[in-house]
Coordinates of all heavy atoms in Angstrom, one line a residue:
M10 N 136.2 136.0 144.6 CA 136.4 136.2 146.0 C 137.9 135.9 146.2 O 138.5 134.9 145.8 CB 135.6 135.2 146.8 CG 135.8 135.3 148.3 SD 134.4 134.5 149.2 CE 135.3 133.1 149.8
E11 N 138.6 136.8 147.0 CA 140.0 136.6 147.2 C 140.2 136.0 148.6 O 139.4 136.3 149.5 CB 140.7 138.0 147.2 CG 140.7 138.6 145.8 CD 141.4 140.0 145.8 OE1 142.1 140.3 146.8 OE2 141.2 140.7 144.8
L12 N 141.2 135.2 148.7 CA 141.5 134.6 150.0 C 142.6 135.6 150.6 O 143.5 136.0 149.9 CB 142.1 133.2 149.9 CG 141.1 132.2 149.4 CD1 141.8 130.9 149.2 CD2 140.0 132.0 150.4
Q13 N 142.4 135.8 151.9 CA 143.4 136.7 152.5 C 144.5 135.8 153.1 O 144.3 134.7 153.6 CB 142.7 137.5 153.6 CG 141.7 138.4 153.1 CD 141.0 139.2 154.2 OE1 141.3 138.9 155.4 NE2 140.1 140.1 153.9
V14 N 145.7 136.4 153.1 CA 146.9 135.7 153.6 C 146.9 136.0 155.1 O 146.9 137.1 155.5 CB 148.2 136.1 152.9 CG1 149.4 135.4 153.6 CG2 148.1 135.9 151.5
K15 N 147.0 134.9 155.9 CA 147.1 135.1 157.4 C 148.4 134.7 157.9 O 149.0 133.8 157.3 CB 146.0 134.2 158.0 CG 144.6 134.6 157.7 CD 143.6 133.7 158.4 CE 142.2 133.9 158.0 NZ 141.3 133.0 158.6
S16 N 148.8 135.3 158.9 CA 150.1 134.9 159.6 C 149.8 133.6 160.3 O 148.7 133.2 160.5 CB 150.6 136.0 160.5 OG 149.7 136.1 161.6
A17 N 150.9 132.9 160.7 CA 150.8 131.7 161.4 C 150.0 131.8 162.7 O 149.3 130.9 163.2 CB 152.1 131.1 161.7
L18 N 150.0 132.9 163.4 CA 149.3 133.1 164.7 C 147.8 133.3 164.4 O 147.0 133.1 165.3 CB 149.9 134.3 165.4 CG 151.4 134.2 165.9 CD1 151.9 135.5 166.5 CD2 151.5 133.0 166.8
E19 N 147.5 133.9 163.3 CA 146.0 134.2 163.0 C 145.3 133.0 162.5 O 144.1 133.0 162.4 CB 145.9 135.3 162.1 CG 146.4 136.6 162.6 CD 146.4 137.7 161.6 OE1 146.4 137.4 160.4 OE2 146.4 138.9 162.0
K20 N 145.9 132.0 162.0 CA 145.3 130.8 161.4 C 144.5 130.0 162.4 O 145.0 129.8 163.5 CB 146.2 129.9 160.7 CG 146.7 130.5 159.4 CD 147.4 129.5 158.6 CE 147.7 130.1 157.2 NZ 148.1 129.1 156.3
D21 N 143.3 129.6 162.1 CA 142.5 128.8 162.9 C 142.1 127.5 162.2 O 141.4 127.6 161.2 CB 141.2 129.6 163.3 CG 140.3 128.8 164.3 OD1 140.8 127.7 164.8 OD2 139.2 129.2 164.5
P22 N 142.7 126.4 162.6 CA 142.4 125.2 161.8 C 140.9 124.8 161.7 O 140.5 124.3 160.7 CB 143.2 124.1 162.6 CG 144.2 124.8 163.5 CD 143.6 126.2 163.7
A23 N 140.2 125.1 162.8 CA 138.8 124.8 162.8 C 138.0 125.6 161.7 O 137.2 125.0 161.0 CB 138.2 125.0 164.2
M24 N 138.3 126.8 161.6 CA 137.7 127.7 160.6 C 138.1 127.2 159.2 O 137.3 127.2 158.3 CB 138.0 129.1 160.8 CG 137.4 129.7 162.1 SD 135.6 129.6 162.1 CE 135.2 131.0 161.1
D25 N 139.4 126.9 159.0 CA 139.9 126.4 157.7 C 139.2 125.1 157.4 O 138.8 124.9 156.2 CB 141.4 126.2 157.8 CG 142.2 127.5 157.8 OD1 141.6 128.5 157.5 OD2 143.4 127.4 158.1
Y26 N 139.0 124.2 158.3 CA 138.3 123.0 158.1 C 136.8 123.2 157.7 O 136.3 122.6 156.8 CB 138.4 122.1 159.3 CG 137.7 120.7 159.1 CD1 138.3 119.8 158.3 CD2 136.5 120.5 159.7 CE1 137.6 118.5 158.1 CE2 135.8 119.3 159.5 CZ 136.4 118.3 158.7 OH 135.8 117.1 158.5
M27 N 136.1 124.1 158.4 CA 134.8 124.5 158.1 C 134.6 125.1 156.7 O 133.7 124.8 155.9 CB 134.2 125.4 159.1 CG 133.9 124.7 160.4 SD 132.9 125.7 161.6 CE 133.1 127.3 161.2
L28 N 135.6 125.9 156.3 CA 135.6 126.5 155.0 C 135.8 125.4 153.9 O 135.1 125.4 152.9 CB 136.7 127.5 154.8 CG 136.9 128.2 153.5 CD1 135.6 129.0 153.1 CD2 138.1 129.1 153.4
L29 N 136.7 124.5 154.2 CA 136.9 123.3 153.2 C 135.7 122.5 153.1 O 135.3 122.1 152.0 CB 138.1 122.5 153.7 CG 138.4 121.3 152.9 CD1 138.8 121.6 151.5 CD2 139.5 120.4 153.6
Q30 N 135.0 122.2 154.2 CA 133.8 121.4 154.1 C 132.7 122.2 153.4 O 131.9 121.6 152.6 CB 133.3 121.1 155.6 CG 134.2 120.1 156.3 CD 134.3 118.8 155.6 OE1 133.4 118.3 155.0 NE2 135.6 118.3 155.5
G31 N 132.6 123.5 153.5 CA 131.6 124.3 152.8 C 131.9 124.3 151.3 O 131.0 124.1 150.5
V32 N 133.2 124.3 150.9 CA 133.6 124.3 149.5 C 133.2 122.9 148.9 O 132.7 122.8 147.8 CB 135.0 124.6 149.3 CG1 135.5 124.3 147.9 CG2 135.3 126.1 149.7
R33 N 133.5 121.8 149.7 CA 133.2 120.5 149.2 C 131.7 120.3 149.1 O 131.2 119.7 148.1 CB 133.7 119.4 150.2 CG 135.2 119.3 150.2 CD 135.7 118.3 151.2 NE 137.1 118.1 151.1 CZ 137.8 117.4 152.1 NH1 137.2 116.9 153.1 NH2 139.1 117.3 151.9
F34 N 130.9 120.8 150.0 CA 129.5 120.7 149.9 C 128.9 121.5 148.7 O 128.1 121.0 148.0 CB 128.9 121.3 151.2 CG 127.4 121.3 151.2 CD1 126.7 120.1 151.4 CD2 126.7 122.5 151.0 CE1 125.3 120.1 151.4 CE2 125.3 122.5 151.0 CZ 124.6 121.3 151.2
A35 N 129.4 122.7 148.5 CA 129.0 123.5 147.3 C 129.4 122.7 146.0 O 128.6 122.8 145.1 CB 129.6 124.9 147.4
F36 N 130.5 122.1 146.0 CA 130.9 121.4 144.8 C 130.0 120.2 144.6 O 129.6 119.9 143.4 CB 132.4 120.9 144.9 CG 132.9 120.2 143.7 CD1 133.1 120.9 142.5 CD2 133.1 118.9 143.7 CE1 133.6 120.2 141.4 CE2 133.6 118.2 142.6 CZ 133.8 118.9 141.4
R37 N 129.6 119.5 145.6 CA 128.7 118.4 145.5 C 127.4 118.8 145.0 O 126.8 118.2 144.1 CB 128.6 117.6 146.8 CG 129.7 116.7 147.1 CD 129.4 115.8 148.3 NE 130.6 115.9 149.2 CZ 130.6 116.4 150.4 NH1 129.5 116.8 150.9 NH2 131.7 116.4 151.0
I38 N 126.9 119.9 145.5 CA 125.6 120.5 145.1 C 125.7 120.9 143.6 O 124.8 120.6 142.8 CB 125.2 121.7 145.9 CG1 124.9 121.3 147.3 CG2 124.0 122.4 145.3 CD1 123.7 120.4 147.5
H39 N 126.8 121.5 143.2 CA 127.0 121.8 141.8 C 127.0 120.6 140.9 O 126.4 120.7 139.8 CB 128.4 122.6 141.7 CG 128.8 122.9 140.3 ND1 128.2 123.8 139.6 CD2 129.8 122.3 139.6 CE1 128.8 123.9 138.4 NE2 129.7 122.9 138.3
Q40 N 127.7 119.6 141.3 CA 127.7 118.3 140.5 C 126.3 117.8 140.3 O 125.9 117.3 139.2 CB 128.6 117.3 141.1 CG 130.1 117.6 141.0 CD 130.9 116.5 141.6 OE1 130.6 116.0 142.7 NE2 132.0 116.1 140.9
V41 N 125.5 117.7 141.4 CA 124.2 117.2 141.3 C 123.3 118.0 140.4 O 122.5 117.5 139.6 CB 123.6 117.1 142.8 CG1 122.1 116.8 142.7 CG2 124.3 116.0 143.6
C42 N 123.5 119.3 140.5 CA 122.6 120.3 139.8 C 123.0 120.2 138.3 O 122.1 120.5 137.4 CB 122.8 121.7 140.2 SG 122.2 121.9 141.9
N43 N 124.2 119.8 137.9 CA 124.5 119.6 136.5 C 123.7 118.4 135.9 O 123.6 118.4 134.7 CB 126.0 119.4 136.3 CG 126.8 120.7 136.4 OD1 126.2 121.7 136.2 ND2 128.0 120.6 136.8
L44 N 123.2 117.5 136.7 CA 122.5 116.4 136.2 C 121.0 116.7 136.0 O 120.2 115.8 135.6 CB 122.7 115.2 137.1 CG 124.1 114.7 137.3 CD1 124.2 113.6 138.3 CD2 124.7 114.3 135.9
I45 N 120.5 117.8 136.5 CA 119.1 118.1 136.5 C 118.6 118.7 135.2 O 119.2 119.7 134.7 CB 118.8 119.1 137.7 CG1 119.1 118.4 139.0 CG2 117.3 119.5 137.6 CD1 119.0 119.3 140.2
Y46 N 117.6 118.1 134.5 CA 117.1 118.6 133.3 C 115.6 119.0 133.3 O 115.2 119.8 132.5 CB 117.4 117.6 132.1 CG 118.8 117.4 131.9 CD1 119.4 116.2 132.3 CD2 119.6 118.4 131.3 CE1 120.8 116.0 132.1 CE2 121.0 118.2 131.1 CZ 121.6 117.0 131.5 OH 122.9 116.8 131.3
S47 N 114.9 118.4 134.2 CA 113.5 118.6 134.2 C 113.1 119.9 134.9 O 113.7 120.3 135.9 CB 112.8 117.4 135.0 OG 111.5 117.7 135.3
L48 N 112.1 120.6 134.3 CA 111.7 121.9 134.8 C 111.2 121.7 136.2 O 111.4 122.6 137.1 CB 110.7 122.5 133.9 CG 110.3 124.0 134.3 CD1 111.5 124.9 134.3 CD2 109.3 124.5 133.3
E49 N 110.4 120.7 136.5 CA 109.8 120.5 137.8 C 110.9 120.3 138.8 O 110.9 120.8 140.0 CB 108.9 119.3 137.8 CG 107.7 119.5 137.0 CD 106.8 118.2 136.9 OE1 107.2 117.2 137.5 OE2 105.8 118.3 136.2
V50 N 111.9 119.5 138.5 CA 113.0 119.3 139.4 C 113.8 120.6 139.6 O 114.4 120.8 140.7 CB 113.9 118.2 138.8 CG1 115.1 117.9 139.7 CG2 113.1 116.9 138.7
V51 N 113.9 121.4 138.6 CA 114.6 122.7 138.7 C 113.9 123.6 139.8 O 114.6 124.2 140.6 CB 114.7 123.5 137.4 CG1 115.2 124.9 137.6 CG2 115.6 122.7 136.5
Y52 N 112.6 123.6 139.8 CA 111.8 124.3 140.8 C 112.1 123.7 142.2 O 112.3 124.5 143.2 CB 110.3 124.2 140.6 CG 109.9 125.1 139.4 CD1 109.1 124.6 138.4 CD2 110.3 126.5 139.4 CE1 108.7 125.4 137.4 CE2 109.9 127.3 138.3 CZ 109.1 126.8 137.4 OH 108.7 127.6 136.3
I53 N 112.2 122.4 142.3 CA 112.6 121.8 143.6 C 114.0 122.2 144.0 O 114.3 122.5 145.1 CB 112.4 120.3 143.5 CG1 110.9 119.9 143.3 CG2 113.0 119.6 144.7 CD1 110.7 118.4 143.0
Y54 N 114.9 122.2 143.0 CA 116.3 122.6 143.3 C 116.3 124.0 143.8 O 117.1 124.3 144.8 CB 117.1 122.5 142.0 CG 118.4 123.2 142.1 CD1 119.4 122.8 142.9 CD2 118.6 124.4 141.4 CE1 120.6 123.5 143.0 CE2 119.7 125.1 141.5 CZ 120.7 124.7 142.3 OH 121.9 125.4 142.4
I55 N 115.6 124.9 143.2 CA 115.6 126.3 143.6 C 115.1 126.4 145.1 O 115.7 127.1 145.9 CB 114.7 127.2 142.7 CG1 115.4 127.3 141.3 CG2 114.5 128.6 143.3 CD1 114.5 127.9 140.3
Y56 N 114.0 125.7 145.4 CA 113.5 125.7 146.8 C 114.6 125.2 147.7 O 114.8 125.7 148.8 CB 112.3 124.8 146.9 CG 111.7 124.6 148.3 CD1 111.0 125.7 148.8 CD2 112.0 123.5 149.0 CE1 110.5 125.5 150.1 CE2 111.5 123.4 150.3 CZ 110.8 124.4 150.8 OH 110.3 124.3 152.1
I57 N 115.2 124.0 147.4 CA 116.3 123.5 148.3 C 117.5 124.4 148.4 O 118.0 124.6 149.5 CB 116.7 122.1 147.7 CG1 115.6 121.1 147.9 CG2 118.0 121.6 148.4 CD1 115.8 119.8 147.2
Y58 N 117.8 125.0 147.2 CA 119.0 126.0 147.3 C 118.7 127.1 148.2 O 119.5 127.5 149.0 CB 119.2 126.5 145.8 CG 120.3 127.5 145.7 CD1 121.7 127.0 145.7 CD2 120.1 128.8 145.7 CE1 122.7 127.9 145.6 CE2 121.1 129.7 145.6 CZ 122.4 129.3 145.5 OH 123.4 130.2 145.4
I59 N 117.5 127.7 148.1 CA 117.1 128.8 149.0 C 117.1 128.4 150.4 O 117.6 129.1 151.3 CB 115.7 129.4 148.6 CG1 115.9 130.1 147.2 CG2 115.2 130.4 149.6 CD1 114.5 130.5 146.6
Y60 N 116.6 127.2 150.7 CA 116.6 126.6 152.1 C 118.0 126.5 152.6 O 118.3 126.9 153.7 CB 115.8 125.3 152.1 CG 115.8 124.7 153.4 CD1 114.9 125.1 154.4 CD2 116.7 123.6 153.7 CE1 114.9 124.5 155.6 CE2 116.7 123.0 155.0 CZ 115.8 123.5 155.9 OH 115.8 122.9 157.2
I61 N 118.8 125.9 151.8 CA 120.2 125.7 152.2 C 120.9 127.0 152.4 O 121.7 127.2 153.4 CB 121.0 124.8 151.2 CG1 120.4 123.4 151.2 CG2 122.5 124.8 151.4 CD1 120.9 122.5 150.1
Y62 N 120.7 128.0 151.5 CA 121.3 129.3 151.6 C 120.9 129.9 152.9 O 121.8 130.5 153.7 CB 120.9 130.1 150.4 CG 121.5 131.5 150.5 CD1 122.8 131.8 150.1 CD2 120.8 132.6 151.0 CE1 123.4 133.0 150.2 CE2 121.3 133.9 151.0 CZ 122.6 134.1 150.6 OH 123.1 135.3 150.7
I63 N 119.6 129.9 153.3 CA 119.1 130.5 154.5 C 119.7 129.8 155.7 O 120.2 130.4 156.7 CB 117.6 130.5 154.5 CG1 117.1 131.5 153.5 CG2 117.1 130.9 155.9 CD1 115.6 131.4 153.3
Y64 N 119.8 128.4 155.6 CA 120.3 127.6 156.7 C 121.8 128.0 157.0 O 122.2 128.2 158.1 CB 120.2 126.2 156.4 CG 120.7 125.2 157.5 CD1 120.0 125.0 158.6 CD2 121.9 124.6 157.3 CE1 120.5 124.1 159.6 CE2 122.4 123.8 158.3 CZ 121.7 123.6 159.4 OH 122.2 122.7 160.4
I65 N 122.6 128.1 155.9 CA 124.0 128.4 156.0 C 124.2 129.8 156.5 O 125.0 130.1 157.4 CB 124.7 128.2 154.7 CG1 124.8 126.7 154.4 CG2 126.1 128.8 154.7 CD1 125.3 126.3 153.0
Y66 N 123.3 130.7 156.1 CA 123.4 132.1 156.5 C 123.2 132.2 158.0 O 123.9 132.9 158.8 CB 122.4 133.0 155.8 CG 122.5 134.4 156.1 CD1 123.4 135.3 155.6 CD2 121.6 135.0 157.0 CE1 123.5 136.6 155.9 CE2 121.6 136.3 157.4 CZ 122.6 137.1 156.8 OH 122.7 138.4 157.2
I67 N 122.1 131.5 158.5 CA 121.8 131.5 159.9 C 122.9 130.8 160.7 O 123.3 131.3 161.8 CB 120.5 130.8 160.2 CG1 119.3 131.7 159.6 CG2 120.2 130.6 161.7 CD1 118.0 131.0 159.6
Y68 N 123.5 129.7 160.2 CA 124.6 129.0 160.9 C 125.8 129.9 161.0 O 126.4 130.0 162.0 CB 124.9 127.8 160.0 CG 125.9 126.9 160.7 CD1 125.6 126.2 161.8 CD2 127.2 126.8 160.1 CE1 126.6 125.3 162.4 CE2 128.2 126.0 160.7 CZ 127.8 125.2 161.8 OH 128.8 124.4 162.4
I69 N 126.2 130.6 159.9 CA 127.3 131.6 160.0 C 127.0 132.7 161.0 O 127.9 133.1 161.7 CB 127.6 132.1 158.6 CG1 128.2 131.0 157.7 CG2 128.6 133.3 158.6 CD1 128.4 131.3 156.3
Y70 N 125.8 133.2 161.0 CA 125.4 134.3 161.9 C 125.6 133.8 163.4 O 126.2 134.5 164.2 CB 124.0 134.7 161.7 CG 123.5 135.8 162.7 CD1 123.9 137.1 162.5 CD2 122.7 135.4 163.8 CE1 123.5 138.0 163.4 CE2 122.3 136.4 164.7 CZ 122.7 137.7 164.5 OH 122.3 138.6 165.4
I71 N 125.2 132.6 163.6 CA 125.3 132.0 165.0 C 126.8 131.8 165.3 O 127.2 132.1 166.4 CB 124.5 130.7 165.1 CG1 123.0 131.0 165.1 CG2 124.9 129.9 166.4 CD1 122.2 129.7 165.0
L72 N 127.6 131.3 164.4 CA 129.0 131.1 164.6 C 129.7 132.5 164.9 O 130.5 132.6 165.8 CB 129.7 130.5 163.4 CG 129.5 129.0 163.3 CD1 130.1 128.5 162.0 CD2 130.0 128.2 164.5
K73 N 129.3 133.5 164.2 CA 129.9 134.8 164.4 C 129.5 135.3 165.8 O 130.4 135.9 166.5 CB 129.4 135.8 163.4 CG 130.1 135.7 162.1 CD 129.5 136.7 161.1 CE 130.1 136.6 159.7 NZ 129.6 137.5 158.8
Q74 N 128.3 135.1 166.2 CA 127.8 135.5 167.6 C 128.6 134.8 168.6 O 129.1 135.4 169.6 CB 126.3 135.3 167.7 CG 125.5 136.2 166.8 CD 125.8 137.7 167.1 OE1 125.8 138.1 168.2 NE2 125.9 138.4 166.0
L75 N 128.8 133.5 168.5 CA 129.5 132.7 169.4 C 131.0 133.1 169.5 O 131.6 133.2 170.5 CB 129.4 131.2 169.1 CG 128.1 130.6 169.3 CD1 128.1 129.1 168.8 CD2 127.6 130.7 170.7
F76 N 131.6 133.4 168.3 CA 132.9 133.9 168.2 C 133.1 135.2 169.0 O 134.0 135.4 169.7 CB 133.4 134.0 166.8 CG 134.8 134.5 166.6 CD1 135.9 133.7 167.0 CD2 135.0 135.7 166.1 CE1 137.2 134.1 166.8 CE2 136.3 136.2 166.0 CZ 137.4 135.4 166.3
L77 N 132.2 136.1 168.7 CA 132.2 137.5 169.4 C 132.0 137.3 170.9 O 132.7 138.0 171.6 CB 131.2 138.4 168.8 CG 131.5 138.8 167.3 CD1 130.3 139.7 166.8 CD2 132.8 139.6 167.2
E78 N 131.1 136.4 171.3 CA 130.9 136.2 172.7 C 132.2 135.7 173.4 O 132.6 136.0 174.5 CB 129.8 135.3 173.0 CG 128.4 135.9 172.7 CD 127.3 134.9 173.0 OE1 127.6 133.8 173.5 OE2 126.2 135.2 172.6
S79 N 132.9 134.8 172.7 CA 134.1 134.2 173.2 C 135.2 135.2 173.3 O 136.1 135.2 174.2 CB 134.6 133.0 172.4 OG 135.0 133.4 171.1
L80 N 135.2 136.2 172.4 CA 136.2 137.3 172.5 C 136.0 138.2 173.6 O 137.0 138.7 174.3 CB 136.2 138.1 171.2 CG 136.8 137.5 169.9 CD1 136.7 138.4 168.8 CD2 138.3 137.2 170.2
F81 N 134.8 138.5 173.9 CA 134.5 139.5 175.0 C 134.1 138.9 176.3 O 133.7 139.7 177.2 CB 133.4 140.5 174.4 CG 133.8 141.2 173.2 CD1 133.2 141.0 172.0 CD2 134.8 142.2 173.3 CE1 133.6 141.7 170.9 CE2 135.2 142.9 172.2 CZ 134.6 142.7 171.0
S82 N 134.2 137.6 176.5 CA 133.9 137.1 177.8 C 135.1 136.6 178.5 O 136.2 136.6 178.1 CB 132.9 135.9 177.6 OG 133.5 134.9 176.8

């Protein structure tokens, strides 16, 4: 994934902070998953991963809708 260069006027500190928090969260999940060896726990991890993925997808969708509403209102 490439990061796009933004001009100073286009930067949004709130979005940058949310991106940073998402990266930190993903890194923490990655660290925890490196410690998992049991097959049963792997199934639980997959369930949690899918749940988190769906939750984040819905959260991003809602944020996009709110952002678009704020642009056109």
Side-chain angles (χ1 to χ4, degrees):
M10 185 164 109
E11 295 180 14
L12 294 176
Q13 296 178 356
V14 178
K15 297 179 183 178
S16 68
L18 295 176
E19 294 176 337
K20 285 194 173 191
D21 184 9
M24 293 300 279
D25 289 345
Y26 180 74
M27 286 189 340
L28 177 63
L29 178 63
Q30 291 302 316
V32 169
R33 287 179 178 166
F34 177 75
F36 181 71
R37 279 188 228 117
I38 293 293
H39 172 73
Q40 285 180 319
V41 168
C42 292
N43 282 335
L44 301 175
I45 297 174
Y46 297 107
S47 168
L48 186 58
E49 294 174 2
V50 179
V51 169
Y52 286 130
I53 294 170
Y54 162 71
I55 291 170
Y56 176 79
I57 292 171
Y58 180 82
I59 291 170
Y60 178 80
I61 290 171
Y62 180 81
I63 292 170
Y64 179 79
I65 290 173
Y66 182 81
I67 292 171
Y68 184 71
I69 290 172
Y70 177 79
I71 291 170
L72 284 178
K73 285 181 182 177
Q74 294 301 316
L75 292 174
F76 179 71
L77 291 175
E78 285 178 11
S79 67
L80 284 179
F81 297 112
S82 61

